[in-house]
Amino acid sequence: MTPRRRIWSELLPLEAVRAPGTLALLRRYALELAIAVRPETAAGLPDLAAACADAGVAVAVWPMIADEDGRWASAGNAAAFGGFVARLLDALDARGLAAAEVAVDLEPPIQQVRRALGGGRGALALLGGGPRGARESPGERGARWRDAQRAYVEVAGAIHARGVATSAAIVPLVLADGPAGGWERILGTPVSAPPWGRVSAMLYTSLIEGYSRGALGRDDAVALLGWACRAAAGRFGPRAGVSVGAVGKGALGDEPVYRSVAELREDVAVAEAAGVQDLSLFDLGGVLARPPAEAWLEAFVAPPLEPRLPRTTLRARGVVAAAALVGRAAGAWGSWSRSWGDRGARRGEGCAVAAGESRSSPELAGAATRDATCPGRGSASSGVVCSCSSACCCWRGR
């Protein structure tokens, strides 16, 4: 496979990215550019795309919606995300321009990520599906997840229909999933169902080490990188890619970064030894802020002298085992909740309050909570309930 090298640019102003010196640097190292575009910077995208075309630099659009809507693509914002992507591509079409690719960043909403990185309740809340997930029944969560999968299948299809390629950036925990996709459900990131052209796992060793707060060292992070690269190649085949880093900070503002160019060079060697040739670097702003930029880019694109897979570590094995256990458990729960919801839907077909057939039940009044989707909308306070058995799926809280 021909090596592919791409660089993310998240926070650098579009005017700085399209500066002649920056574009010349990207062209010199044959780097594709993945440019983050927010609602407030969208107007500058066509000018940047035109400058990239003139400079011979391929550009991928990396859409990010408003932070209050989650910033990154996830189960709860498919409509907003898909609409934003369409507007960006329409703006390019209007100027006779085109993106080489749309890079879809699949992550939980940024507010949830910030709370989860703080540990404690924030992490537990993310595992529970966020605030909304805590309020839903298993059947409701399963239905919402399937709706999200279908929505992102449509988003990917709409992009492809324009002749534009797609890629998905994914959280590495998804690589620990079994067939049921437990981590996909937990994180709300539809990876498997949509027909993404490429899939790039975000394997930032500096973040793995730094966010562990001393629990993991550099050797552990590199060992996890090696495992994840092999897992990505095994799962996605020729579509597999890996994002390495971080050279600079991103949206969270506190991302731990590489200590030296040597760490980047080591990560590239590990990825290539695992058979992954599609690599992306995070990020351009960090490269330019930590000169010489050429040192970082040379380490990223030059073939490693000694591609090697690292030795595993006890801590790395523990992390992988724990992630796999949680993923399998969540996948089993998701499969159960889907069958639970399907059974409930079938039972609910007989749930109705027919005129003259309603019955009053003082025992159930005030003890049952009605599901708003039940066709027979009785009132617990009035004692009017549906005419089916009290074991019907439309009753909860008995």
Side-chain angles (χ1 to χ4, degrees), residues 136-139 141 180 185 327-340:
E136 293 177 324
S137 71
R141 288 182 65 179
R185 291 170 176 266
R328 285 194 299 268
W333 172 260
S335 298
W336 176 85
S337 66
R338 177 169 184 169
S339 62
W340 185 92

Side-chain angles (χ1 to χ4, degrees), residues 202-265:
M202 295 178 283
L203 305 179
Y204 304 131
T205 53
S206 65
L207 273 65
I208 294 171
E209 179 185 0
Y211 281 143
S212 77
R213 296 177 175 82
L216 301 174
R218 170 70 187 170
D219 288 347
D220 303 314
V222 174
L224 288 168
L225 171 65
W227 167 82
C229 286
R230 292 193 298 272
R235 177 171 174 178
F236 300 112
R239 297 190 298 140
V242 165
S243 293
V244 296
V247 182
K249 299 184 186 300
L252 298 173
D254 64 350
E255 291 89 343
V257 299
Y258 282 137
R259 286 173 284 252
S260 69
V261 172
E263 292 185 343
L264 169 59
R265 189 178 295 111

Side-chain angles (χ1 to χ4, degrees), residues 142-297:
R144 182 164 61 89
W145 171 245
R146 293 190 292 276
D147 288 344
Q149 289 179 306
R150 286 190 289 267
Y152 278 103
V153 167
E154 293 177 2
V155 169
I159 296 170
H160 293 157
R162 295 174 179 258
V164 179
T166 57
S167 67
I170 67 169
V171 176
L173 287 167
V174 172
L175 298 173
D177 266 345
W183 277 110
E184 286 189 46
R185 291 170 176 266
I186 290 172
L187 301 172
T189 55
V191 175
S192 301
W196 309 120
R198 297 173 184 263
V199 181
S200 182
M202 295 178 283
L203 305 179
Y204 304 131
T205 53
S206 65
L207 273 65
I208 294 171
E209 179 185 0
Y211 281 143
S212 77
R213 296 177 175 82
L216 301 174
R218 170 70 187 170
D219 288 347
D220 303 314
V222 174
L224 288 168
L225 171 65
W227 167 82
C229 286
R230 292 193 298 272
R235 177 171 174 178
F236 300 112
R239 297 190 298 140
V242 165
S243 293
V244 296
V247 182
K249 299 184 186 300
L252 298 173
D254 64 350
E255 291 89 343
V257 299
Y258 282 137
R259 286 173 284 252
S260 69
V261 172
E263 292 185 343
L264 169 59
R265 189 178 295 111
E266 181 181 26
D267 286 359
V268 171
V270 169
E272 291 208 350
V276 179
Q277 297 291 327
D278 182 351
L279 301 182
S280 302
L281 176 63
F282 189 85
D283 99 312
L284 180 59
V287 166
L288 297 180
R290 299 176 66 183
E294 291 81 1
W296 293 104
L297 299 182

Side-chain angles (χ1 to χ4, degrees), residues 20-36:
T22 304
L23 294 180
L25 196 64
L26 298 180
R27 182 173 181 178
R28 174 182 169 187
Y29 288 96
L31 291 172
E32 300 176 24
L33 171 67
I35 185 69

